[in-house]
Amino acid sequence: MSSPEPRRPGPGRRSHRDRHGRGLRGRLVPATVPLARTKAEIFDDLVLDTVEALERRFAKELAGVEFAVEDVPPDLNVYDSDVLEDGEVPLARLLPGRPGRQEVPPRIVLYRRPLEFRAMDREDLADLVHDVIIEQVANLLGVDPDELA
């Protein structure tokens, strides 16, 4: 005796359910709801908010400066003075640019996981990200961080 031929989806039938009528019915959370955003996306938005505010005020000085986010700092035995640390853990790094034939623009790198670990909640993380970016931009421009804040 041969087994019956599998049912093919017809009008009104959905092909993504299993044979018992269970299975995925749709998205659990709409993409527009904040719950659908990852921690990394939320962190990137915090960085972008601070950078955009600074660029509105200091467009000329920050032209060409790159801002980046990495999850964790690289393994180095000794960190240079261009690294902003909390204890022994790097939070951000300023890579000064190199003018010349192979020009490399200045770059500020924030390390997401160490910053998230130090924050109590999302507001605290936003303040911490803001403070770290201000500190690094002040170091790059050679000014007091209070002038930027």
Side-chain angles (χ1 to χ4, degrees), residues 4 9 35-36 45-46 54 63 75 94 120 127:
L35 291 176
D45 287 344
L46 294 174
L54 281 172
D75 286 333
L94 169 63
M120 302 300 267
D127 291 341

Side-chain angles (χ1 to χ4, degrees), residues 21-98:
R22 296 183 299 247
L24 187 62
R25 294 187 177 131
R27 296 179 63 106
L28 295 176
V29 178
T32 57
V33 175
L35 291 176
R37 300 187 49 76
T38 64
K39 284 184 176 183
E41 290 172 330
I42 292 168
F43 188 87
D44 290 346
D45 287 344
L46 294 174
V47 171
L48 190 59
D49 290 344
T50 300
V51 169
E52 285 177 346
L54 281 172
E55 285 180 338
R56 281 193 296 270
R57 292 177 45 208
F58 303 99
K60 184 176 153 187
E61 293 88 343
L62 295 177
V65 176
E66 294 180 355
F67 292 87
V69 174
E70 292 181 12
D71 285 338
V72 293
D75 286 333
L76 298 175
N77 292 337
V78 177
Y79 290 104
D80 295 329
S81 62
D82 62 346
V83 175
L84 179 63
E85 296 176 301
D86 179 19
E88 295 290 317
V89 180
L91 303 177
R93 183 173 193 177
L94 169 63
L95 301 167
R98 287 190 315 239

